[in-house]
Amino acid sequence: MIDFELTDEQRLVKETARDFAEREIQPVARDNDRNERFDTDLVRKMADMGWLGAIVSEDYGGRGLDYRTYGLIVEEVGRIDSSARTVISVVTSLVCSGIEKFGSEEQKQEWLPKLCSGETLGCFGLTEPNTGSDAANLSTRAEKIDGGWRITGQKQWISLGNYAGVALIFAQTDPEKKHRGIGAFLVPTASDGFSSAPIHGKLGMRASDTAELSLDGVEVGDEAMLGEVGDGFKVAMSALDSGRFSVASGCVGICQGCVDASVAYAKERHQFDRPIASFQLVQAMLADMIVDTEAARGLVWRSGWLKDTGRPNTMETSVAKLFATEAAIRTANNAIQVHGGAGYVDDFPVERHLRDARVTTLYEGTSQIQKLIIGRAATGINAMT
Ligand SMILES: Cc1cc2nc3c(=O)[nH]c(=O)nc-3n(C[C@H](O)[C@H](O)[C@H](O)COP(=O)(O)OP(=O)(O)OC[C@H]3O[C@@H](n4cnc5c(N)ncnc54)[C@H](O)[C@@H]3O)c2cc1C
């Protein structure tokens, strides 16, 4: 049976994360957003907290936490700044989880300690200019050469791509095999033929690095492949299962940040000689925000509990991701309404929360893709293709 009570350890982890986020992230979040600054000092501090390897086994330099506890950290960081939260989600869920699950002992020893400590950042290179939701239809090619592979292609919208030391690159080894031909490769970004370029002008997540990657005949050894030829799609889907949980947890944080800011503002702001919190229509907005927040948190907790107890959870994780991401947008939008004109500028965090929330229904599977996963689980019929 699901237990919603936090253990003493979970309570401590949550309080520590909240304290860190308010002390270290809050003071820099607005300026990092304004300046599109990927804050490497902050990344190092989060790595020192052990958050980049939260769910990775202690044997490989991680914290060995369960998913529910990991989710609490991600929520607290997301409550303050989604760009900072992205670093944790990408390194921990999209990169480390795949290496831990599919990697050989040598690959785990080589990469996980460096990723967990923040010595090396990782990025997840699945999306391409012409391949988003249809993720199995990759144009990037991996051609077999003596002792290794030669990889050529473009990757688009890759978080952390300009700062990563290793890129988990998904490439097609044999187009005739479709998704069964996809391989996952751990590609050092210092390799000859590998280059990246920053993507500017984003609506939100401005302090999160986003890159276009170019692989022009990048050669890697056989030991760079994670799993076997044909495991690539499984690696990607497994990492996304973890990543969707992480994004959903971060969105619970956005919701909570918006509730906290709005309740405080509504009690301080006076109109018609009364605090605006005393108007029923303002309380109705707060109530809607709180309901969305609590519902999202409950779904995220269920997904984490299923993961921690080894039960199937792809559908439930999609439910949590779909609901929490859409709830974050609704809640941030309501928060701006509660703040009135003051919510439209960055003196308060709520306009940043709305801009940052907006991408969460796009990446790691759009809301439409989540609905198709849920619909397929319910009916047994694949409506995606
Ligand atoms: C800031 C940012 C960071 C990102 N970080 C990463 C990263 O680190 N690594 C990475 O690999 N990718 C990353 N992405 C890419 C992201 O995962 C893709 O944008 C996403 O998967 C959607 O793909 P697309 O943009 O090509 O949209 P498309 O797939 O072209 O979709 C466009 C629209 O069509 C709909 N659609 C598509 N197919 C169907 C269908 N079968 N049925 C119904 N509707 C459908 C979609 O839901 C959407 O509404 C990032 C994106 C952004 C914006």
Side-chain angles (χ1 to χ4, degrees):
M1 234 186 30
I2 305 185
D3 183 355
F4 284 92
E5 194 71 41
L6 299 188
T7 63
D8 287 346
E9 190 200 354
Q10 284 167 339
R11 214 182 300 278
L12 183 65
V13 167
K14 184 176 166 68
E15 280 166 15
T16 308
R18 175 163 294 205
D19 177 59
F20 176 95
E22 290 183 348
R23 198 165 24 84
E24 301 285 351
I25 307 179
Q26 195 155 276
V28 293
R30 183 176 78 167
D31 282 351
N32 284 342
D33 175 70
R34 279 189 178 179
N35 299 323
E36 291 193 17
R37 175 166 182 260
F38 183 73
D39 190 337
T40 50
D41 290 341
L42 182 57
V43 172
R44 188 182 38 72
K45 288 179 190 168
M46 292 195 296
D48 289 346
M49 297 296 287
W51 293 348
L52 304 191
I55 48 174
V56 176
S57 155
E58 287 171 327
D59 297 342
Y60 302 109
R63 286 272 304 269
L65 299 176
D66 62 13
Y67 265 89
R68 280 165 290 180
T69 314
Y70 168 49
L72 296 172
I73 296 169
V74 176
E75 176 186 330
E76 290 302 331
V77 176
R79 178 174 162 270
I80 301 296
D81 180 23
S82 296
S83 291
R85 191 275 302 159
T86 300
V87 180
I88 302 175
S89 298
V90 169
V91 176
T92 310
S93 283
L94 294 185
V95 182
C96 287
S97 82
I99 298 175
E100 187 162 33
K101 187 161 176 192
F102 291 91
S104 64
E105 191 52 36
E106 290 74 26
Q107 287 168 329
K108 291 187 215 180
Q109 297 283 2
E110 179 176 3
W111 293 111
L112 289 176
K114 286 188 233 174
L115 288 163
C116 293
S117 71
E119 182 188 332
T120 301
L121 292 179
C123 68
F124 179 82
L126 180 64
T127 307
E128 300 180 349
N130 293 319
T131 299
S133 301
D134 187 10
N137 190 18
L138 296 178
S139 301
T140 300
R141 293 282 176 268
E143 178 200 347
K144 191 75 192 90
I145 55 174
D146 200 18
W149 298 86
R150 183 182 295 126
I151 307 174
T152 300
Q154 304 285 325
K155 295 290 174 179
Q156 179 82 358
W157 308 118
I158 307 305
S159 302
L160 276 56
N162 297 296
Y163 290 84
V166 62
L168 182 53
I169 295 290
F170 298 88
Q172 181 56 265
T173 64
D174 181 353
E176 282 182 10
K177 289 191 181 153
K178 304 215 160 122
H179 75 271
R180 290 191 189 83
I182 295 175
F185 299 87
L186 288 161
V187 181
T189 57
S191 306
D192 285 345
F194 191 105
S195 60
S196 71
I199 296 176
H200 293 294
K202 288 177 295 184
L203 173 68
M205 297 288 192
R206 292 189 178 163
S208 171
D209 176 62
T210 312
E212 279 174 24
L213 306 181
S214 181
L215 293 94
D216 185 7
V218 174
E219 293 189 6
V220 290
D222 283 324
E223 72 286 352
M225 185 181 271
L226 209 48
E228 310 280 325
V229 173
D231 281 347
F233 199 64
K234 273 191 276 174
V235 174
M237 292 306 118
S238 156
L240 287 171
D241 235 25
S242 179
R244 286 169 187 160
F245 173 84
S246 195
V247 170
S249 302
C251 285
V252 175
I254 293 178
C255 290
Q256 190 63 56
C258 288
V259 168
D260 295 345
S262 300
V263 168
Y265 185 81
K267 286 161 72 177
E268 272 168 24
R269 173 75 176 166
H270 283 64
Q271 288 295 287
F272 303 94
D273 296 327
R274 293 156 63 182
I276 60 166
S278 69
F279 299 122
Q280 291 181 354
L281 291 178
V282 172
Q283 287 205 4
M285 287 192 277
L286 297 175
D288 286 344
M289 294 163 69
I290 290 166
V291 170
D292 263 339
T293 306
E294 297 293 331
R297 186 178 285 120
L299 291 171
V300 167
W301 192 261
R302 177 179 69 157
S303 164
W305 174 76
L306 290 168
K307 287 179 187 296
D308 292 336
T309 52
R311 292 169 162 87
N313 62 83
T314 296
M315 192 273 275
E316 291 82 356
T317 301
S318 281
V319 170
K321 199 266 181 185
L322 173 63
F323 188 84
T325 55
E326 298 283 352
I329 294 173
R330 278 194 301 272
T331 303
N333 202 30
N334 270 325
I336 292 177
Q337 198 66 20
V338 171
H339 282 72
Y344 198 66
V345 288
D346 64 5
D347 294 341
F348 291 94
V350 293
E351 62 82 40
R352 177 164 49 81
H353 282 318
L354 180 63
R355 288 187 289 105
D356 288 351
R358 193 60 194 82
V359 76
T360 64
T361 65
L362 300 174
Y363 64 20
E364 309 216 14
T366 63
S367 287
Q368 288 71 33
I369 294 299
Q370 306 309 325
K371 286 180 185 174
L372 292 166
I373 293 170
I374 297 162
R376 182 178 60 195
T379 62
I381 298 168
N382 181 5
M384 211 169 303
T385 54

